[in-house]
Amino acid sequence: EPEPVFTSLRSFAPATIANLGPGFDFLGCAVDGIGDFIDLSVDPNVKPGEVVIASINKLSTNPLYNCAGIAAIAAMKMLGIRSVGLSLTLEKGLPLGSGLGSSAASAAAAAVAVNELFGGKLSSTDLIMAGLESEAKVSGYHADNIAPAIMGGFVLIRSYDPLDIISLKFPADKDLFFVLVNPEFEAPTKKMRAVLPSEIGMKDHISNCSQAAALVASLINGDLKVLGSALSSDGIVEPNRIPLIPGMKAVKKAAINAKAFGCTISGAGPTAVAITDNEEKGKFIGEKMVEAFMEKGNLKASATVRRLDRDGARVI
């Protein structure tokens, strides 16, 4: 059993964009500058081997029913922590049900905090497994949010049994900006998954596979034009979800008309994500997307332009 190397620390985990269009449940990436924070400390008032959530807004403080708590407990078990108790505080920087990996950010920040408190013994795969325990209870057993939240950058989930995750390196010398437009509308993951078809035809399967392959190739090559085209070309999931988000069809069109390389739904929605190569262009694209949400969906929305987070969850 490792000894604590800190008495307390603060961690951060970034927002994530899952699916990236045709990559449903197997592609995702991390977004810089927005996410969740965890303050974790050794607490003599907590029973050894247990974790207590000292403070959180609007969510359960029962660690067995909270994303951060579940992941923290899983990491403690992996490390074999039995002699000390921990207390954590979760500071949410992400809205719930936004399609930006809110639950994964909480889980990632908690798992990384526990690991680093005891000397960083766990691998990124271990941390993803701890986060998956949390995700499985909240939104389903899929790693396209928790893996990039832990690892940063773009990731591809090749397999779950055994867990096999590939990091996709976007060129460091290329500029990539995400335009994230979040409307005042909640799209619960469970509801958004319920509308998906249980079967698909061979033609749709081939089309989506080719678009996902093109997306991966464009990431490695740093080709934003192809990346945007592939991002916008999901023919299976997005068409079933767009009608559930007021104005989303017009928002996507507005982004493309404003010269975004591509646009799709972030995760299960309702956040829309567009990509560009310039921050000022991104702000203009965001303005047009916000206008479309109001004009066609009667929804207020806010826009932000962010870079790729290449680092993932970390102690700050």
Side-chain angles (χ1 to χ4, degrees):
E1 178 183 356
E3 294 287 326
V5 296
F6 301 101
T7 56
S8 65
L9 55 75
R10 183 172 173 84
S11 65
F12 168 81
T16 49
I17 300 168
N19 304 337
L20 297 171
F24 179 69
D25 275 7
F26 66 87
L27 287 174
C29 69
V31 179
D32 186 42
I34 50 174
D36 288 358
F37 298 86
I38 289 283
D39 289 294
L40 184 70
S41 60
V42 175
D43 192 337
N45 296 315
V46 177
K47 186 177 178 181
E50 294 187 359
V51 60
V52 167
I53 299 176
S55 176
I56 191 174
N57 291 328
K58 299 181 181 179
L59 295 171
S60 173
T61 56
N62 185 333
L64 301 178
Y65 297 98
N66 178 276
C67 301
I70 296 167
I73 291 169
M76 289 178 75
K77 287 180 178 178
M78 289 178 179
L79 290 166
I81 305 302
R82 294 181 294 274
S83 61
V84 298
L86 303 177
S87 175
L88 71 80
T89 297
L90 171 60
E91 181 184 325
K92 292 295 296 178
L94 295 173
L96 305 178
S98 61
L100 291 172
S102 178
S103 61
S106 298
V112 165
V114 170
N115 186 42
E116 294 301 321
L117 194 76
F118 293 95
K121 308 290 184 182
L122 301 178
S123 67
S124 60
T125 299
D126 292 331
L127 295 171
I128 291 167
M129 291 299 296
L132 272 172
E133 288 195 30
S134 171
E135 290 287 82
K137 292 186 180 181
V138 177
S139 59
Y141 196 81
H142 46 86
D144 48 348
N145 286 118
I146 191 65
I150 294 287
M151 298 171 64
F154 288 92
V155 299
L156 185 154
I157 295 89
R158 185 185 179 200
S159 167
Y160 284 95
D161 189 18
L163 185 65
D164 186 357
I165 294 176
I166 300 172
S167 176
L168 304 172
K169 300 299 184 185
F170 186 80
D173 61 342
K174 298 279 188 176
D175 284 328
L176 170 60
F177 292 89
F178 300 98
V179 184
L180 303 171
V181 181
N182 181 236
E184 293 182 357
F185 182 80
E186 192 165 330
T189 301
K190 188 174 182 180
K191 178 181 177 181
M192 300 302 281
R193 293 181 82 90
V195 301
L196 303 183
S198 57
E199 296 182 359
I200 59 171
M202 182 62 73
K203 182 179 179 181
D204 288 336
H205 167 68
I206 293 170
S207 176
N208 257 43
C209 284
S210 66
Q211 295 298 339
L215 195 151
V216 171
S218 68
L219 285 176
I220 295 169
N221 294 331
D223 188 335
L224 290 188
K225 186 175 180 181
V226 175
L227 173 59
S229 177
L231 186 86
S232 304
S233 299
D234 173 29
I236 297 173
V237 175
E238 186 181 286
N240 287 282
R241 286 178 166 173
I242 273 186
L244 300 184
I245 305 172
M248 181 61 78
K249 186 176 181 179
V251 169
K252 182 174 180 177
K253 184 178 180 180
I256 302 300
N257 288 343
K259 306 302 181 185
F261 290 111
C263 180
T264 190
I265 300 170
S266 177
T271 296
V273 55
I275 61 167
T276 184
D277 59 356
N278 179 278
E279 187 172 8
E280 288 305 313
K281 283 167 59 178
K283 291 177 181 178
F284 175 74
I285 293 165
E287 289 172 3
K288 295 302 179 184
M289 292 168 71
V290 167
E291 289 174 6
F293 260 128
M294 177 55 71
E295 291 175 4
K296 299 298 183 180
N298 198 31
L299 292 176
K300 292 181 180 179
S302 58
T304 184
V305 182
R306 300 288 176 176
R307 291 181 181 271
L308 180 70
D309 185 308
R310 298 176 184 269
D311 300 317
R314 62 260 191 194
V315 170
I316 57 171

